[in-house]
Amino acid sequence: MDKTNNIFQTLSDPNRLRILKMLQARSLCVCEITSVLEIGTSTVSNHLSILKKDGFIIDEKEGKWVNYKINPRPADDRVSSILSTLDFWIADETSIINDKKKLANVNRITLCMK
Amino acid sequence: MDKTNNIFQTLSDPNRLRILKMLQARSLCVCEITSVLEIGTSTVSNHLSILKKDGFIIDEKEGKWVNYKINPRPADDRVSSILSTLDFWIADETSIINDKKKLANVNRITLCMK
DNA sequence: TTCTTATTTCGTTTTTTATCGAAATGTTGA
DNA sequence: TCAACATTTCGATAAAAAACGAAATAAGAA
């Protein structure tokens, strides 16, 4: 039961849902996600660690950056079920559509190297 | 998105999940649920109002009692989806099994009229 | 090595949520 | 009517989670 509660709790935060939807569009580094969500870097990092702990996402180092991506093979069936039905859960709504627009103009080079 | 968040948040509380599982076994009044969960009546009443607001459950007056039951026809697809897959989400675990044992010995007459 | 940059960790504050107990509401039955 | 009881509402407290900023870590570039 604990695990189920963790999963639902992880999904109960709007910023974490936005992150999942963004990562389904493409892999992103922390500073890209931060620039879309417009909250502090440390807060984003914390959200990512929560999503990672439950197995929703994985991370990969790429030099100075850490790329986060959707976990292609979650160990837990509940996690894969959510990931494959996220569109059902989150109908395209203003915030999500907006995030995608922002994402199109986000580039880690110009974004982080200033 | 708000609605999705509400649903996940509602499901993120262990006592509310226990209530849903109990109600899938049978309809119950507040005092019966209270005696199983072993938390205050007003707290249980609050949990029930949250589950009701999202459309997971409905209530029916029966004299002095209020019977709560699983909503047989939820308006929201996400809610019906959860209700029909609760066993997938919550594999039979200690607390749930225990609740069912307790339920077997719960009777609103002897319970509340003392 | 030293500097810069991306990210994480840590300590703290703010916000939200769960819980409780008392008071209010509504219903039954004497 | 009044007394007893189930439930809800309200106000307060306690516990949990989100957010922030500063310091620590890690990796590339000078």
Side-chain angles (χ1 to χ4, degrees):
Chain A
M1 174 103 120
D2 274 352
K3 175 69 178 176
T4 298
N5 268 288
N6 285 343
I7 291 175
F8 285 136
Q9 186 152 357
T10 294
L11 296 168
S12 73
D13 182 277
N15 286 328
R16 286 194 288 267
L17 286 182
R18 288 169 70 190
I19 291 174
L20 283 182
K21 287 289 281 181
M22 284 194 267
L23 292 179
Q24 286 196 324
R26 66 179 169 95
S27 300
L28 295 165
C29 68
V30 180
C31 69
E32 290 172 311
I33 297 170
T34 302
S35 88
V36 173
L37 293 186
E38 294 175 20
I39 55 179
T41 313
S42 61
T43 305
V44 171
S45 181
N46 188 49
H47 283 313
L48 289 166
S49 79
I50 290 169
L51 286 165
K52 183 180 163 191
K53 189 159 63 64
D54 279 351
F56 285 104
I57 62 178
I58 58 176
D59 61 348
E60 276 173 6
K61 277 217 138 159
E62 182 189 341
K64 187 159 42 173
W65 289 287
V66 179
N67 286 329
Y68 281 90
K69 50 182 68 174
I70 297 291
N71 183 354
R73 249 174 303 286
D76 191 299
D77 284 345
R78 292 163 290 193
V79 171
S80 12
S81 163
I82 285 289
L83 286 176
S84 58
T85 58
L86 252 197
D87 289 331
F88 165 72
W89 287 98
I90 309 167
D92 271 345
E93 280 159 63
T94 336
S95 68
I96 300 291
I97 293 171
N98 247 307
D99 288 350
K100 287 197 176 159
K101 280 185 195 156
K102 280 194 204 167
L103 262 190
N105 300 316
V106 155
N107 177 307
R108 86 179 53 174
I109 305 296
T110 57
L111 188 68
C112 305
M113 281 183 146
K114 52 169 184 225
Chain B
M1 173 102 120
D2 275 350
K3 175 70 178 175
T4 298
N5 268 287
N6 285 343
I7 291 174
F8 284 135
Q9 185 152 356
T10 294
L11 297 168
S12 72
D13 183 276
N15 286 328
R16 287 194 286 268
L17 286 182
R18 288 169 71 188
I19 291 174
L20 283 182
K21 287 291 280 184
M22 282 194 266
L23 291 179
Q24 286 196 325
R26 66 177 168 97
S27 300
L28 295 164
C29 69
V30 181
C31 70
E32 290 171 312
I33 297 170
T34 302
S35 88
V36 173
L37 293 186
E38 293 175 22
I39 56 180
T41 312
S42 62
T43 305
V44 171
S45 180
N46 187 49
H47 284 313
L48 289 166
S49 79
I50 291 169
L51 288 165
K52 183 181 163 189
K53 189 159 64 62
D54 279 351
F56 284 104
I57 62 178
I58 58 176
D59 60 348
E60 277 172 6
K61 277 217 139 159
E62 183 189 340
K64 190 157 45 173
W65 289 286
V66 179
N67 285 330
Y68 281 92
K69 51 183 67 174
I70 296 291
N71 184 354
R73 249 173 305 284
D76 192 300
D77 284 346
R78 290 164 289 193
V79 171
S80 11
S81 163
I82 285 290
L83 285 176
S84 59
T85 58
L86 253 197
D87 288 332
F88 164 72
W89 287 97
I90 309 165
D92 271 345
E93 279 159 64
T94 335
S95 66
I96 299 292
I97 294 171
N98 247 306
D99 288 349
K100 289 198 176 159
K101 280 186 196 156
K102 280 195 205 168
L103 263 190
N105 300 317
V106 155
N107 176 307
R108 88 180 53 172
I109 304 294
T110 57
L111 189 66
C112 305
M113 282 182 146
K114 51 161 187 232

